[in-house]
Amino acid sequence: MSETFRTNLTRAAIGAAGAAALGIGYASGIERNAFALREVTMPVLEPGSSSLRVLHLSDLHMMPNQRLKQNWLRELERLDPDLVVNTGDNLSHQRSVPAVVQALGDLLARPGLFVFGSNDYFAPKPKNPFNYLTAKKKRITGEPLPWGDLRAAFTERGWLDVTHTRRELEVSGIRIATAGVDDPHLHRDRYDTIAGPPNPLAHLKLGLTHSPEPRVLDRFADDGYDLVLAGHTHGGQLCLPFYGAIVTNCELDRSRVKGPSRWGAHTQLHVSAGIGTSPWAPARFCCRPEATLLTLVPATRREPERASAADSQATRTSALRN
């Protein structure tokens, strides 16, 4: 091996290591805190209904000292949503409940619905990242988290827990029939407890789940729900340019890892890319943390063919500024 070849090989190795270090630094120090607001219009309401503004929050994964995230969340109240939907994984620490409640602030005074995810029940633990690339994953859960305190804080302020419960409410003149399941990622879902078609007189039939497992989405679709909201995927969290998410961390296909899509002939799905990350994997790449403001509008009578991610009336992402 010539001296020139050794020198070039060394330089290439140093360059690759430097690029990797820069990428890790950007993903962990910049993009994971580059909070964004995604705005999406979805035609899912009964014809003749007025529009409804729904703020979809998911996967806060809150730690007590995450001031930047908490301050950004407080600003979301300025969006003036008609309804707030939280699809779980709010906690990452035993002492995170006050931080979540304070960060949500005045949003808790608005009509709200929620279901919980695995990281409301159990603290995250370090995992081998390569396990996400395998088909079979061993469930690793940490210490129990104070989910009961969080539930009490939400319900005392008027938010409705729809876990294995069917509810009806009216928001801004829109009659909503809603139901949800416990986290399918932990196999806690019991869809039979809410099975059956929702009230046909409702302007919106809304399903909630933390993890968008196809077996659950199929049940919602079969029962005639217009829209299902979910989280859990983090949008892939670490994505590749021109390729997208490497994994979804569930059985959902990569094309639906975040944003709006169609599930069957009638039902639409919206998956939030989420706001946080596990404290053991504090990085995002090509997948900014986000909340979503959904503007729900009446569907045309020519449906059941619904809009997909490609033909939704409007989808845009913008940073929410103070």
Side-chain angles (χ1 to χ4, degrees):
M1 183 182 297
S2 68
E3 187 64 30
T4 300
F5 181 79
R6 287 197 201 92
T7 300
N8 290 337
L9 187 63
T10 301
R11 288 174 178 172
I14 293 172
L22 286 173
I24 293 171
Y26 168 79
S28 60
I30 297 177
E31 186 164 327
R32 77 180 177 95
N33 292 315
F35 304 107
L37 176 71
R38 180 186 295 268
E39 298 186 46
V40 179
T41 299
M42 301 184 74
V44 295
L45 301 179
E46 286 296 309
S49 304
S50 57
S51 63
L52 186 73
R53 290 160 56 85
V54 178
L55 180 63
H56 184 190
L57 305 176
S58 197
D59 298 270
L60 275 62
H61 291 283
M62 187 68 74
M63 298 288 285
N65 61 347
Q66 291 179 323
R67 305 301 181 196
L68 187 63
K69 183 193 298 183
Q70 293 161 22
N71 291 338
W72 186 81
L73 282 166
R74 288 190 192 97
E75 294 298 317
L76 294 176
E77 203 279 333
R78 297 191 308 175
L79 298 172
D80 194 27
D82 301 307
L83 176 69
V84 183
V85 176
N86 182 310
T87 48
D89 271 12
N90 295 277
L91 306 176
S92 279
H93 192 278
Q94 290 282 348
R95 296 193 298 274
S96 290
V97 172
V100 170
V101 173
Q102 292 168 17
L104 293 177
D106 290 339
L107 288 173
L108 290 168
R110 296 181 178 272
L113 306 169
F114 68 94
V115 293
F116 282 156
S118 59
N119 286 148
D120 294 301
Y121 299 118
F122 302 103
K125 292 192 70 174
K127 302 173 185 177
N128 182 345
F130 292 103
N131 288 343
Y132 289 99
L133 301 177
T134 62
K136 294 183 179 180
K137 306 176 183 66
K138 182 180 179 181
R139 298 284 180 263
I140 301 175
T141 57
E143 294 298 316
L145 290 172
W147 65 269
D149 294 343
L150 184 64
R151 182 185 186 278
F154 284 176
T155 58
E156 285 169 5
R157 288 160 176 80
W159 281 16
L160 301 179
D161 182 356
V162 298
T163 305
H164 296 156
T165 303
R166 294 163 63 123
R167 303 262 195 175
E168 291 194 20
L169 67 158
E170 185 171 313
V171 178
S172 299
I174 304 295
R175 187 172 182 177
I176 303 171
T178 186
V181 295
D182 209 345
D183 188 10
H185 187 62
L186 294 180
H187 297 282
R188 296 173 69 125
D189 54 300
R190 302 291 181 267
Y191 192 91
D192 285 344
T193 62
I194 58 168
N199 187 346
L201 298 179
H203 302 104
L204 173 66
K205 294 88 171 175
L206 177 64
L208 271 63
T209 177
H210 175 64
S211 179
E213 297 293 346
R215 68 175 187 275
V216 174
L217 301 180
D218 286 343
R219 297 292 299 273
F220 277 120
D222 290 344
D223 279 343
Y225 281 82
D226 301 308
L227 175 64
V228 179
L229 301 184
H232 176 72
T233 66
H234 295 192
Q237 189 167 325
L238 300 176
C239 300
L240 299 177
F242 310 110
Y243 180 80
I246 301 171
V247 296
T248 66
N249 195 25
C250 63
E251 297 302 317
L252 190 72
D253 59 278
R254 293 191 309 105
S255 68
R256 295 180 172 91
V257 71
K258 66 177 178 180
S261 62
R262 183 187 299 132
W263 194 267
H266 175 79
T267 301
Q268 289 197 62
L269 170 68
H270 183 268
V271 178
S272 170
I275 296 169
T277 66
S278 166
W280 301 105
R284 281 179 177 259
F285 192 77
C286 294
C287 185
R288 291 173 66 181
E290 66 180 37
T292 309
L293 184 64
L294 300 170
T295 300
L296 308 185
V297 299
T300 59
R301 292 189 182 275
R302 63 182 176 181
E303 306 252 345
E305 209 173 48
R306 302 282 191 184
S308 66
D311 56 28
S312 290
Q313 292 184 7
T315 303
R316 63 186 179 88
T317 304
S318 61
L320 182 68
R321 301 186 182 279
N322 294 333

Coordinates of all heavy atoms in Angstrom, one line a residue, residues 214-260:
P214 N -52.7 -1.4 11.8 CA -53.7 -1.7 10.8 C -54.9 -2.5 11.3 O -56.0 -2.3 10.9 CB -52.9 -2.5 9.7 CG -51.5 -1.9 9.8 CD -51.3 -1.7 11.3
R215 N -54.7 -3.4 12.3 CA -55.8 -4.2 12.8 C -56.8 -3.3 13.4 O -58.0 -3.5 13.4 CB -55.3 -5.2 13.8 CG -54.8 -4.7 15.1 CD -54.4 -5.8 16.1 NE -54.1 -5.3 17.4 CZ -52.8 -4.8 17.7 NH1 -51.9 -4.9 16.8 NH2 -52.6 -4.4 18.9
V216 N -56.4 -2.2 14.1 CA -57.3 -1.2 14.7 C -57.9 -0.3 13.6 O -59.1 0.0 13.7 CB -56.6 -0.4 15.8 CG1 -57.5 0.7 16.4 CG2 -56.1 -1.3 16.9
L217 N -57.1 0.2 12.7 CA -57.6 1.0 11.7 C -58.7 0.3 10.9 O -59.7 1.0 10.4 CB -56.5 1.5 10.8 CG -55.3 2.3 11.5 CD1 -54.3 2.7 10.4 CD2 -55.9 3.5 12.2
D218 N -58.5 -1.0 10.6 CA -59.5 -1.7 9.9 C -60.8 -1.7 10.6 O -61.9 -1.6 10.0 CB -59.0 -3.2 9.6 CG -57.9 -3.3 8.6 OD1 -57.8 -2.3 7.8 OD2 -57.2 -4.3 8.5
R219 N -60.8 -1.9 11.9 CA -62.0 -1.9 12.7 C -62.8 -0.6 12.6 O -64.0 -0.5 12.5 CB -61.7 -2.3 14.1 CG -61.2 -3.7 14.3 CD -62.2 -4.8 14.0 NE -63.4 -4.8 14.8 CZ -63.5 -5.4 16.0 NH1 -62.5 -6.1 16.5 NH2 -64.6 -5.4 16.7
F220 N -62.0 0.5 12.8 CA -62.6 1.8 12.7 C -63.2 2.0 11.3 O -64.4 2.5 11.2 CB -61.6 2.9 13.0 CG -61.3 3.2 14.4 CD1 -60.1 3.1 15.0 CD2 -62.4 3.7 15.2 CE1 -59.8 3.4 16.3 CE2 -62.2 4.0 16.6 CZ -60.9 3.8 17.1
A221 N -62.5 1.6 10.3 CA -63.0 1.8 8.9 C -64.3 1.0 8.7 O -65.2 1.4 8.1 CB -61.9 1.5 7.9
D222 N -64.3 -0.3 9.2 CA -65.4 -1.2 9.0 C -66.7 -0.6 9.7 O -67.8 -0.8 9.2 CB -65.1 -2.6 9.5 CG -64.1 -3.3 8.6 OD1 -63.9 -2.9 7.5 OD2 -63.5 -4.3 9.1
D223 N -66.5 0.1 10.8 CA -67.6 0.6 11.5 C -68.1 2.0 11.0 O -69.1 2.5 11.4 CB -67.2 0.8 13.0 CG -67.4 -0.5 13.8 OD1 -68.0 -1.4 13.2 OD2 -66.8 -0.6 14.9
G224 N -67.3 2.5 10.0 CA -67.8 3.7 9.3 C -67.3 5.0 9.9 O -68.0 6.1 9.7
Y225 N -66.2 5.0 10.5 CA -65.6 6.3 11.0 C -65.0 7.1 9.9 O -64.4 6.6 8.9 CB -64.5 6.0 12.1 CG -65.1 5.7 13.4 CD1 -65.5 4.4 13.7 CD2 -65.3 6.7 14.4 CE1 -66.1 4.1 14.9 CE2 -65.9 6.4 15.6 CZ -66.3 5.1 15.9 OH -66.9 4.8 17.1
D226 N -65.2 8.4 9.9 CA -64.8 9.3 8.9 C -63.3 9.6 9.0 O -62.6 9.7 8.0 CB -65.5 10.7 9.0 CG -67.0 10.6 8.9 OD1 -67.4 9.9 7.9 OD2 -67.7 11.1 9.7
L227 N -62.8 9.7 10.2 CA -61.4 10.1 10.4 C -60.8 9.4 11.7 O -61.5 9.3 12.7 CB -61.3 11.6 10.7 CG -60.0 12.3 11.0 CD1 -59.0 12.1 9.9 CD2 -60.2 13.8 11.4
V228 N -59.6 9.0 11.6 CA -58.9 8.4 12.7 C -57.6 9.2 12.9 O -56.8 9.4 12.0 CB -58.5 6.9 12.5 CG1 -57.8 6.3 13.7 CG2 -59.8 6.1 12.2
L229 N -57.4 9.6 14.2 CA -56.1 10.3 14.5 C -55.2 9.4 15.4 O -55.7 8.7 16.2 CB -56.5 11.6 15.3 CG -57.4 12.6 14.6 CD1 -57.6 13.9 15.5 CD2 -56.9 13.0 13.2
A230 N -53.9 9.5 15.1 CA -53.0 8.6 15.8 C -51.6 9.4 15.8 O -51.4 10.4 15.2 CB -52.8 7.3 15.0
G231 N -50.7 8.8 16.6 CA -49.3 9.3 16.7 C -48.4 8.2 16.7 O -48.4 7.3 15.8
H232 N -47.4 8.1 17.6 CA -46.5 7.0 17.9 C -45.4 6.9 16.9 O -44.2 6.6 17.4 CB -47.3 5.7 17.9 CG -46.5 4.5 18.0 ND1 -45.9 4.1 19.2 CD2 -46.1 3.5 17.1 CE1 -45.2 3.0 19.1 NE2 -45.3 2.6 17.8
T233 N -45.5 7.1 15.7 CA -44.5 6.9 14.7 C -43.3 7.9 14.7 O -42.2 7.6 14.2 CB -45.0 6.9 13.3 OG1 -45.5 8.2 13.0 CG2 -46.2 5.9 13.1
H234 N -43.5 9.0 15.3 CA -42.6 10.2 15.2 C -42.2 10.5 13.8 O -41.2 11.1 13.6 CB -41.3 9.8 16.0 CG -41.5 9.6 17.5 ND1 -40.5 9.6 18.4 CD2 -42.6 9.5 18.2 CE1 -40.9 9.4 19.6 NE2 -42.2 9.4 19.5
G235 N -43.1 10.2 12.9 CA -42.8 10.4 11.5 C -41.6 9.7 10.9 O -41.1 10.0 9.8
G236 N -41.2 8.7 11.7 CA -40.0 8.0 11.3 C -38.8 8.4 12.2 O -37.8 7.7 12.4
Q237 N -38.8 9.7 12.6 CA -37.8 10.3 13.5 C -36.5 10.5 12.8 O -36.0 11.7 12.7 CB -37.6 9.6 14.8 CG -36.8 10.4 15.8 CD -36.8 9.8 17.2 OE1 -37.8 9.3 17.7 NE2 -35.7 9.9 17.9
L238 N -35.9 9.5 12.3 CA -34.7 9.6 11.5 C -35.0 9.2 10.1 O -35.2 8.0 9.8 CB -33.6 8.7 12.1 CG -33.1 9.0 13.5 CD1 -32.1 8.0 14.0 CD2 -32.6 10.5 13.7
C239 N -35.0 10.2 9.2 CA -35.4 9.9 7.8 C -34.3 10.2 6.9 O -33.3 10.9 7.2 CB -36.7 10.8 7.4 SG -38.1 10.5 8.5
L240 N -34.4 9.7 5.7 CA -33.3 9.9 4.7 C -33.9 10.8 3.6 O -35.0 10.6 3.1 CB -32.9 8.5 4.1 CG -32.3 7.5 5.0 CD1 -32.0 6.2 4.3 CD2 -31.0 8.1 5.7
P241 N -33.1 11.7 3.1 CA -33.5 12.5 1.9 C -33.9 11.7 0.7 O -33.2 10.7 0.4 CB -32.3 13.4 1.6 CG -31.5 13.4 2.9 CD -31.7 12.1 3.5
F242 N -35.0 12.0 0.1 CA -35.5 11.4 -1.1 C -36.0 9.9 -0.9 O -36.3 9.2 -1.8 CB -34.4 11.3 -2.2 CG -33.8 12.7 -2.5 CD1 -32.5 12.9 -2.2 CD2 -34.6 13.7 -3.1 CE1 -31.9 14.2 -2.4 CE2 -34.0 14.9 -3.3 CZ -32.7 15.2 -3.0
Y243 N -36.0 9.5 0.4 CA -36.4 8.2 0.8 C -37.5 8.2 1.8 O -38.5 7.5 1.8 CB -35.3 7.3 1.2 CG -35.7 5.9 1.6 CD1 -35.9 4.9 0.6 CD2 -35.9 5.5 2.9 CE1 -36.2 3.6 0.9 CE2 -36.2 4.2 3.3 CZ -36.4 3.3 2.3 OH -36.8 2.0 2.6
G244 N -37.3 9.1 2.8 CA -38.3 9.2 3.9 C -38.0 8.3 5.1 O -36.8 8.0 5.4
A245 N -39.0 7.9 5.8 CA -38.8 7.2 7.0 C -38.2 5.8 6.7 O -38.5 5.2 5.8 CB -40.2 7.0 7.7
I246 N -37.3 5.4 7.6 CA -36.7 4.1 7.5 C -37.6 3.1 8.1 O -37.8 2.0 7.6 CB -35.3 4.1 8.2 CG1 -34.4 5.1 7.6 CG2 -34.7 2.7 8.1 CD1 -33.1 5.3 8.4
V247 N -38.2 3.4 9.3 CA -39.2 2.5 9.9 C -40.3 3.3 10.5 O -40.2 4.6 10.6 CB -38.5 1.8 11.1 CG1 -37.4 0.8 10.6 CG2 -37.9 2.8 12.1
T248 N -41.4 2.6 10.8 CA -42.6 3.3 11.4 C -42.8 2.9 12.9 O -43.6 3.5 13.5 CB -43.9 3.0 10.6 OG1 -44.2 1.6 10.8 CG2 -43.7 3.3 9.1
N249 N -42.0 1.9 13.3 CA -42.2 1.4 14.7 C -43.5 0.8 15.0 O -44.0 0.7 16.1 CB -41.9 2.5 15.8 CG -41.6 1.9 17.1 OD1 -41.2 0.7 17.3 ND2 -41.9 2.7 18.2
C250 N -44.2 0.3 13.9 CA -45.5 -0.4 14.0 C -45.7 -1.1 12.7 O -44.9 -1.0 11.8 CB -46.6 0.6 14.4 SG -47.0 1.8 13.2
E251 N -46.9 -1.6 12.5 CA -47.2 -2.4 11.2 C -47.6 -1.5 10.1 O -47.9 -1.9 9.0 CB -48.2 -3.5 11.5 CG -47.8 -4.5 12.5 CD -46.5 -5.2 12.0 OE1 -46.4 -5.6 10.8 OE2 -45.6 -5.5 12.9
L252 N -47.8 -0.2 10.4 CA -48.2 0.8 9.3 C -47.1 0.9 8.3 O -45.9 0.9 8.6 CB -48.5 2.1 10.0 CG -49.1 3.2 9.1 CD1 -50.6 2.9 8.8 CD2 -49.0 4.6 9.7
D253 N -47.5 1.0 7.0 CA -46.5 1.2 6.0 C -45.9 2.6 6.0 O -46.5 3.5 6.5 CB -47.1 0.9 4.6 CG -48.3 1.8 4.3 OD1 -49.4 1.5 4.8 OD2 -48.1 2.8 3.6
R254 N -44.7 2.7 5.4 CA -43.9 3.9 5.5 C -44.6 5.1 4.8 O -44.4 6.3 5.1 CB -42.5 3.7 4.8 CG -41.6 2.8 5.6 CD -40.2 2.9 5.1 NE -40.1 2.7 3.6 CZ -39.9 3.7 2.8 NH1 -39.7 4.9 3.2 NH2 -39.9 3.4 1.5
S255 N -45.5 4.8 3.8 CA -46.1 5.9 3.0 C -47.1 6.7 3.9 O -47.5 7.8 3.6 CB -46.8 5.3 1.8 OG -48.0 4.6 2.2
R256 N -47.5 6.1 5.0 CA -48.5 6.7 5.9 C -47.9 7.2 7.2 O -48.6 7.4 8.2 CB -49.7 5.8 6.2 CG -50.5 5.5 4.9 CD -51.7 4.6 5.3 NE -52.6 4.4 4.3 CZ -52.5 3.4 3.4 NH1 -51.5 2.5 3.4 NH2 -53.5 3.3 2.4
V257 N -46.5 7.2 7.3 CA -45.9 7.4 8.6 C -46.2 8.8 9.2 O -46.1 8.9 10.4 CB -44.3 7.3 8.4 CG1 -43.7 8.5 7.6 CG2 -43.6 7.1 9.7
K258 N -46.6 9.8 8.4 CA -47.0 11.0 9.0 C -47.9 11.7 8.0 O -47.9 11.5 6.8 CB -45.9 11.9 9.4 CG -45.0 12.5 8.2 CD -44.0 13.4 8.7 CE -43.1 13.9 7.6 NZ -42.0 14.8 8.0
G259 N -48.8 12.6 8.6 CA -49.7 13.4 7.7 C -51.0 12.6 7.4 O -51.3 11.6 7.9
P260 N -51.7 13.2 6.4 CA -53.0 12.6 6.0 C -52.9 11.5 5.0 O -52.0 11.6 4.1 CB -53.8 13.8 5.5 CG -52.7 14.7 4.9 CD -51.5 14.5 5.8

